[in-house]
Amino acid sequence: MSRMNLERMTSRRQCRRRVTATALGMCLVAAACGDPLPEVDGDVAFVGVNVLPMRGPSGPVVLENQTVVVANRRIASINPTDTVEVADDVEVIEAEGSYLMPGLAEMHGHLPGRPLLPLDRKNLLFLYVANGVTTVRGMQGNRSQFTTRDQIARGETIGPRLFIGSTSMSGASVTTAEQGAQLVREYHQSGYDLVKIHEGLTRDVFDAVAATANEVGIPFGGHVPDEVGLLRALEAGQVSIDHLDNYVEALVPDDAPRGDAPGIDGLGALLDIVDETRIPE
């Protein structure tokens, strides 16, 4: 047995002794006062931790000194530490002074498209998890990432849960409605999690892509082509507008001059003519 493993086992035994002593003391107090404390069961218990649930009656709150029990990889209960007793067969993590929060989601990640050496891939995925990112939506996807996604889902590799977007559908790569519809079907059958929309699609191509995606049941999201516009993208069911794309353009009155520069190059000139009364719409 390695020294590290021995230290870990010793640490766990010490934790168990502390928790057992604490639980015994709590039981004695409860017995003196009346009913014993209710027992919580599960696989792992974080004892004495401060919880950030990210929501409350009037905004984010901190739940101090809680016992959080996890069973079958899901949170089973959150209770004030002094109101419950942890069952004997639950692994205890002494977490006084520490914090628990929901995992972070990287909703527009760019995972490397080229094959990586196994160690490089392992390190990249671990960096996400080590920094609290438990979900990544890859918006520059390719089929080489499917294996990694599936290995993580099976628990064979440590990494965030991956959702992989298709190869970008842009005006340069998709020029007809028929081509757009066909690509959506291919991406769906291949196993992509969503269709990536990029700049330059014409209105008829976008409409074909959106209709086909809704038909086969694959979400689509990303940029908003200028010819399509924000309102049409939302109406068609686009699930995300990345980078707040085309929001400024949507605030410009229909009869206002928009200039000749396309995309972000012409955005600055529009700031002086936006109509903020259009924001609620």
Side-chain angles (χ1 to χ4, degrees):
M1 180 181 295
S2 70
R3 179 177 178 180
M4 181 177 293
N5 287 337
L6 180 59
E7 289 175 345
R8 286 176 178 168
M9 290 186 64
T10 302
S11 176
R12 287 184 180 179
R13 288 169 183 160
Q14 291 172 343
C15 286
R16 172 56 63 195
R17 292 193 191 102
R18 289 198 299 270
V19 172
T20 301
T22 302
L24 178 60
M26 291 165 61
C27 285
L28 290 175
V29 172
C33 298
D35 296 333
L37 294 175
E39 187 176 86
V40 291
D41 196 7
D43 301 320
V44 180
F46 297 86
V47 176
V49 72
N50 301 313
V51 179
L52 285 74
M54 307 304 289
R55 63 180 181 179
S58 58
V61 297
V62 178
L63 306 178
E64 297 181 348
N65 194 23
Q66 303 288 306
T67 290
V68 179
V69 177
V70 178
N72 297 320
R73 301 179 65 183
R74 293 187 177 275
I75 294 175
S77 64
I78 302 176
N79 296 290
T81 295
D82 59 1
T83 65
V84 294
E85 177 186 357
V86 179
D88 289 339
D89 58 347
V90 178
E91 180 181 355
V92 170
I93 297 175
E94 292 288 356
E96 183 177 356
S98 299
Y99 290 80
L100 276 180
M101 61 177 286
L104 302 174
E106 165 60 274
M107 294 300 290
H108 195 107
H110 280 214
L111 301 169
R114 65 186 186 284
L116 295 176
L117 294 174
L119 181 59
D120 291 337
R121 183 185 64 172
K122 178 180 178 181
N123 288 339
L124 171 67
L125 296 172
F126 180 77
L127 280 174
Y128 277 118
V129 177
N131 285 280
V133 178
T134 57
T135 299
V136 172
R137 192 176 74 146
M139 296 299 280
Q140 192 175 13
N142 62 66
R143 297 189 185 189
S144 68
Q145 298 165 357
F146 289 178
T147 299
T148 301
R149 176 191 63 187
D150 297 342
Q151 288 175 339
I152 292 172
R154 292 194 298 266
E156 300 169 3
T157 299
I158 295 176
R161 184 182 184 187
L162 296 183
F163 294 91
I164 299 176
S166 70
T167 302
S168 175
M169 303 188 75
S170 69
S173 60
V174 186
T175 58
T176 68
E178 293 75 17
Q179 182 188 12
Q182 179 61 29
L183 283 172
V184 169
R185 297 184 188 280
E186 292 178 5
Y187 292 149
H188 178 249
Q189 293 171 359
S190 297
Y192 285 100
D193 296 303
L194 72 152
V195 172
K196 165 71 178 292
I197 303 295
H198 218 287
E199 307 287 357
L201 292 181
T202 62
R203 173 66 181 265
D204 64 321
V205 172
F206 175 87
D207 285 348
V209 167
T212 308
N214 289 326
E215 176 189 337
V216 302
I218 184 171
F220 59 99
H223 294 258
V224 174
D226 289 336
E227 189 174 317
V228 174
L230 175 66
L231 296 182
R232 172 55 190 157
L234 293 173
E235 181 184 52
Q238 185 160 324
V239 297
S240 69
I241 309 298
D242 296 37
H243 319 299
L244 292 178
D245 197 16
N246 229 274
Y247 268 81
V248 172
E249 291 90 333
L251 296 178
V252 175
D254 296 333
D255 57 353
R258 294 173 177 260
D260 299 326
I264 196 169
D265 292 333
L267 199 58
L270 299 180
L271 296 179
D272 293 331
I273 57 174
V274 298
D275 178 4
E276 294 186 6
T277 64
R278 297 168 71 97
I279 289 177
E281 180 189 3

